[in-house]
Amino acid sequence: MGYRMYVELKKENKEFEMYPLCITTIEKELVSGGQAIGVFELDKDLIISKTNQRKVMAGQVYKDKATLKEVMENYAISQRFQFRVDRSNTVSYALLCMSEDCEWRFKASSINKSELFKVREFIDNHTCPFKDKVHEQRQASSSLIGGMIRPKLTNHKRKYTPKDIIDDVKSDLGVDISYMLAWRTKEKTHVVVDGSHVKSYYTGTFISASTLDGAGHILPLAYGVIDSENDAVWTWFFEQFKIAYGDRKNMCIVSNRNESIIKFVSRVYPHVPHFACIWHLWNNVYKKFKKSHVKLSEIYFSMAKAYTQAEFDSLMEKMEKVDIRVKEYLELVGYEKWARLYAPVNRGWTMTSNIAESINAALVSAREFPIYDFLEEVRKMFGRWNCSNRK
């Protein structure tokens, strides 16, 4: 008896699982206590586990919702239309065409609240003008494109830029994607936040949030001039940033030891790790402790970048011998704030806030301007950078 029959029997008799039961991919009889146990064959071929499934129809069973979701994203791209999610939760997944007047619809749900998802209804008939229109494909998500380009990222020496991704997606999928979407497929989700004083008559603090794109170029995400003495303004800035940028997987924030940034980032992003710029932390050590700077510097930076516990512990022993006060100070700061080994997410090479320092250095003369002129200069500079990086 096949798996489908088991499902049908389950529909008729909700207490069906009270009987001795085994579902397997192997056809055989099992004996327990002298009595045969019912064995229902689960044919692996009936369950779709690969996301390259091209044909979609009612009755198909997918190994989980994630697989089904990616199959439908691929399907929409290949058929040149866009859908919107009507319902999505742990037990159901329903889609409609972007056009409200279109008959196209798709419904799937889990089988008895298991991970398996079955297509219950699929009306693959478009009665709208949305199909075959050429426009940026919303189903071409960063996760979908990331899966497509992953094999091309195995060679770490290769420079694979967002422009390359745009060209490859156009060639492979036949759709256009934005530069930002291409960047998001490779993004490290490391955000560097920094604040610096504006020197004009109208004082304030220039604050910026930025990251690196896939090619290693600075990508500004948000900026503004705020009243550094006003707590509500700090909160507002980070709340607006969160609305625009979101809260992303493996995200982390890097900054100097600015107390306001630490305070308000942790308030708006309570679950996102906040790391200290190792260079700014070293400057604090340098000013606070007045001896053996050369030895301490070498040990400290090696510790911050260490990958193994043995290497870190060995360096810490050396640090203790040179100046135990520095060891105690770094413990008080928290290893997870500055040491790669203890970071709860992968810090990669973003150990400093040099991105922000580069932005500040480029704006040294502009900070003398009135606020409006200064912001206009920032806008034009970032525009030039982004335009150049797209090439």
Side-chain angles (χ1 to χ4, degrees):
M1 190 181 301
Y3 177 72
R4 290 175 184 270
M5 183 172 288
Y6 159 71
V7 174
E8 296 304 317
L9 285 171
K10 177 68 176 173
K11 287 180 182 178
E12 298 295 328
N13 183 359
K14 299 298 183 184
E15 303 297 323
F16 189 59
E17 288 178 346
M18 68 180 289
Y19 303 105
L21 180 67
C22 178
I23 301 174
T24 180
T25 57
I26 304 172
E27 290 189 66
K28 64 181 180 179
E29 279 194 351
L30 299 180
V31 178
S32 176
Q35 293 184 344
I37 300 176
V39 177
F40 298 88
E41 179 188 358
L42 177 57
D43 190 345
K44 285 183 178 179
D45 294 334
L46 295 177
I47 300 178
I48 299 169
S49 60
K50 296 185 181 299
T51 58
N52 61 356
Q53 173 73 19
R54 298 300 180 192
K55 192 172 184 180
V56 179
M57 62 179 68
Q60 288 177 330
V61 178
Y62 290 81
K63 74 169 187 175
D64 53 34
K65 181 183 174 183
T67 302
L68 174 60
K69 183 180 177 183
E70 189 165 337
V71 166
M72 291 309 297
E73 288 175 346
N74 278 317
Y75 185 80
I77 292 171
S78 65
Q79 297 298 311
R80 300 182 66 78
F81 77 97
Q82 299 190 72
F83 60 69
R84 54 191 169 93
V85 177
D86 182 49
R87 183 173 62 258
S88 179
N89 52 48
T90 56
V91 296
S92 64
Y93 186 53
L95 309 172
L96 297 172
C97 178
M98 282 292 292
S99 174
E100 294 183 358
D101 299 325
C102 186
E103 293 181 359
W104 188 95
R105 66 186 65 251
F106 175 90
K107 292 182 180 179
S109 61
S110 67
I111 298 176
N112 294 323
K113 297 184 179 180
S114 68
E115 288 191 353
L116 297 172
F117 260 68
K118 181 178 181 179
V119 180
R120 308 292 182 178
E121 179 186 5
F122 185 32
I123 301 176
D124 193 19
N125 179 37
H126 285 273
T127 56
C128 67
F130 273 66
K131 194 171 185 298
D132 293 326
K133 276 198 171 183
V134 178
H135 46 275
E136 187 174 311
Q137 249 286 356
R138 63 184 287 167
Q139 267 67 63
S141 62
S142 58
S143 59
L144 181 70
I145 298 170
M148 186 194 81
I149 69 170
R150 192 170 293 117
K152 301 176 183 181
L153 301 177
T154 54
N155 181 1
H156 298 290
K157 294 182 179 180
R158 179 185 178 185
K159 187 177 181 180
Y160 193 50
T161 68
K163 179 64 167 59
D164 296 329
I165 295 173
I166 292 171
D167 293 341
D168 285 349
V169 171
K170 180 68 174 178
S171 174
D172 296 349
L173 300 180
V175 296
D176 298 309
I177 63 170
S178 67
Y179 179 87
M180 180 62 74
L181 179 56
W183 169 75
R184 286 184 62 182
T185 64
K186 285 191 65 182
E187 66 171 326
K188 301 173 180 65
T189 59
H190 295 169
V191 179
V192 176
V193 180
D194 188 65
S196 60
H197 293 293
V198 176
K199 298 179 180 179
S200 67
Y201 176 78
Y202 301 98
T203 59
T205 297
F206 172 68
I207 185 169
S208 65
S210 51
T211 187
L212 294 175
D213 67 13
H217 300 129
I218 296 175
L219 181 65
L221 301 173
Y223 65 92
V225 175
I226 66 172
D227 177 1
S228 59
E229 303 300 321
N230 188 331
D231 287 1
V233 176
W234 280 97
T235 303
W236 180 87
F237 179 86
F238 288 113
E239 284 176 345
Q240 297 307 305
F241 176 76
K242 188 173 184 178
I243 291 171
Y245 188 75
D247 189 343
R248 307 186 182 190
K249 184 179 180 181
N250 295 326
M251 178 178 170
C252 69
I253 294 174
V254 181
S255 76
N256 58 22
R257 299 290 291 167
N258 184 301
E259 292 183 3
S260 295
I261 292 177
I262 295 171
K263 175 182 176 181
F264 294 103
V265 163
S266 60
R267 183 177 295 178
V268 178
Y269 280 106
H271 304 298
V272 172
H274 178 257
F275 300 136
C277 166
I278 60 172
W279 180 252
H280 281 89
L281 184 58
W282 165 249
N283 283 337
N284 291 348
V285 171
Y286 187 92
K287 294 173 184 176
K288 193 175 184 68
F289 306 101
K290 303 297 184 181
K291 67 174 186 178
S292 305
H293 286 154
V294 175
K295 288 183 179 179
L296 287 173
S297 172
E298 182 180 351
I299 297 171
Y300 165 75
F301 284 106
S302 296
M303 266 199 305
K305 299 175 183 178
Y307 283 102
T308 67
Q309 191 68 57
E311 181 185 5
F312 183 89
D313 291 343
S314 175
L315 290 165
M316 186 57 81
E317 288 180 7
K318 293 179 180 179
M319 176 74 75
E320 186 174 4
K321 291 177 181 177
V322 176
D323 193 334
I324 192 172
R325 297 174 303 162
V326 176
K327 174 181 180 290
E328 293 170 347
Y329 174 75
L330 293 175
E331 286 177 343
L332 186 63
V333 171
Y335 292 164
E336 74 282 359
K337 296 293 185 182
W338 57 274
R340 176 188 281 145
L341 178 65
Y342 287 88
V345 299
N346 181 13
R347 285 194 69 170
W349 290 98
T350 311
M351 304 294 290
T352 71
S353 57
N354 285 349
I355 299 174
E357 298 298 333
S358 297
I359 293 174
N360 291 336
L363 293 170
V364 169
S365 59
R367 279 189 285 176
E368 305 283 349
F369 297 167
I371 296 295
Y372 178 84
D373 294 334
F374 170 72
L375 289 174
E376 179 64 9
E377 189 66 25
V378 176
R379 185 190 66 80
K380 290 192 292 185
M381 184 183 79
F382 286 166
R384 290 193 301 270
W385 287 5
N386 289 338
C387 182
S388 176
N389 293 342
R390 288 171 193 245
K391 296 177 181 179

